[in-house]
Amino acid sequence: RLRDCWDVASSGQSQCVAALLDECLLFDTDESSSAFSGLQIEALQRLERGLADLAPEVFVAAPELDRWYGSAARWRLLWRTCKIAHCASMLEGRLPDERLGPLVLGAAFATRLAPRLRG
């Protein structure tokens, strides 16, 4: 099951998920379209949960910002967020754009990456 086994930060595992979705599309019939739709929903939910679990939103008090920007924890969160966004983008064309776009551009970039960058 995708929701239990897929490491959303792993490019290799995400390639396997992309191949699985491609294979399902090859054999898509009217009877199997609901199963494929269910698989898409599972993949999207796993991406959302993985982003929340592996790269949570962090709020840092203003007096601690300088220390935060130099911390290894910040770099780990940035790297994990980038990895998950990359893996999610590997599923472009396989998952609905109206759900995948907000996940990558909104939840990953605007909410987690952009606020952690320092110019």
Side-chain angles (χ1 to χ4, degrees):
R1 292 182 174 243
L2 288 180
R3 72 173 159 237
D4 300 325
C5 300
W6 175 28
D7 176 2
V8 297
S10 166
S11 293
Q13 288 187 23
S14 296
Q15 285 177 336
C16 290
V17 170
L20 173 67
L21 291 169
D22 286 343
E23 193 170 312
C24 288
L25 283 174
L26 284 176
F27 300 104
D28 189 20
T29 64
D30 288 338
E31 298 90 35
S32 67
S33 63
S34 65
F36 178 71
S37 176
L39 191 59
Q40 287 179 311
I41 291 168
E42 290 269 337
L44 284 162
Q45 288 174 344
R46 180 65 188 114
L47 284 166
E48 290 165 352
R49 195 177 82 231
L51 188 60
D53 292 347
L54 298 173
E57 291 183 63
V58 176
F59 301 97
V60 179
E64 299 296 322
L65 278 177
D66 284 335
R67 206 173 84 187
W68 166 249
Y69 279 114
S71 73
R74 175 181 161 261
W75 285 107
R76 280 192 303 273
L77 288 172
L78 281 169
W79 179 241
R80 275 192 224 132
T81 303
C82 289
K83 286 173 60 175
I84 294 168
H86 168 73
C87 291
S89 67
M90 293 171 74
L91 303 178
E92 184 180 9
R94 297 166 180 96
L95 298 179
D97 288 341
E98 62 273 4
R99 296 270 316 268
L100 190 59
L103 178 82
V104 174
L105 296 175
F109 181 76
T111 305
R112 289 171 173 82
L113 287 174
R116 293 182 186 148
L117 299 177
R118 187 176 194 181

